[in-house]
Amino acid sequence: MKVRNVLELWVDDTKMALVGIGMVMRRPKYVLIGVAAFLFFGYILTMFKDGTSTWSLLWSGIGFGDKVLLSLEVGGRMFGNLFDLWGLVLMVLALMQGLTIALLVFGWRSKISKKATAAGLEAGSVGTVISLLALGCPACGTSLLMPFLTTVLGSSAAVMGEILGWVLVVLAMVLLLHAARRLGYGAFIEITARRYKNGKS
């Protein structure tokens, strides 16, 4: 019975969190913040999608014009992610990071529960770090963790890199969803309380 009550409470809180997220994202300025953060993270994730070769080229001795063209090419590759499973997963991660940042900004501006904001910030930050660790293409053996795994595991590093890459992505997604849920719930409580207060005054 206890487990059922906890589950029902979790479902109810999640529903309120979704409503709270909807309330925040109906405000154009937070949509803009979310989109800007999504584009930023989408760009970074795309740059490192196939390993560190693009990053290394940007810091190499190629001309400034070539660096600009390379930077623009990364932007173009973002759209190509929609037709590739790993790229699509990275774009969903970027979208979750954009949503989390928009909700964090709302939390700071609205001074919602410090506990909820801190929990959202912590989960969101850890989720972002983990998603960055998962960068590269594990299936192609270009994960950013590959050098470390090769040193530790030797020839079995490629297989482990692919598995670990997906595990890290799932973990990052769970943490970002948890952050969005906590922040969305806090936003729901804050906005509802304000409306009730304004209605009474």
Side-chain angles (χ1 to χ4, degrees), residues 145-157:
L145 292 172
M146 228 29 205
F148 170 75
L149 291 175
T150 303
T151 303
V152 176
L153 301 172
S155 58
S156 58

Side-chain angles (χ1 to χ4, degrees), residues 6-166:
V6 169
L7 185 61
E8 285 176 354
L9 182 63
W10 187 88
V11 170
D12 288 341
D13 287 353
T14 301
K15 286 177 183 176
M16 286 188 277
L18 289 171
V19 173
I21 290 170
M23 288 172 166
V24 173
M25 298 314 287
R26 277 199 289 269
R27 305 179 181 201
K29 60 184 172 185
Y30 295 108
V31 173
L32 286 174
I33 290 168
V35 169
F38 162 69
L39 291 173
F40 172 77
F41 281 106
Y43 188 89
I44 297 297
L45 294 173
T46 300
M47 180 181 288
F48 289 100
K49 179 186 168 190
D50 298 316
T52 57
S53 55
T54 303
W55 178 257
S56 299
L57 266 175
L58 281 173
W59 291 97
S60 69
I62 63 174
F64 177 75
D66 291 327
K67 289 182 180 180
V68 171
L69 286 173
L70 188 60
S71 299
L72 292 173
E73 185 194 332
V74 173
R77 290 204 310 251
M78 282 178 64
F79 296 101
N81 286 332
L82 301 175
F83 306 99
D84 170 69
L85 178 60
W86 183 247
L88 194 59
V89 168
L90 293 181
M91 287 301 97
V92 172
L93 270 178
L95 187 64
M96 287 305 304
Q97 286 162 337
L99 176 64
T100 303
I101 286 173
L103 292 170
L104 272 172
V105 172
F106 176 82
W108 283 326
R109 287 174 60 90
S110 304
K111 297 176 182 172
I112 60 176
S113 159
K114 285 183 181 178
K115 190 177 177 183
T117 305
L121 178 60
E122 185 179 339
S125 300
V126 174
T128 299
V129 170
I130 290 174
S131 63
L132 292 174
L133 282 176
L135 282 175
C137 171
C140 314
T142 57
S143 167
L144 298 188
L145 292 172
M146 228 29 205
F148 170 75
L149 291 175
T150 303
T151 303
V152 176
L153 301 172
S155 58
S156 58
V159 176
M160 198 62 197
E162 182 175 354
I163 295 168
L164 189 58
W166 284 105

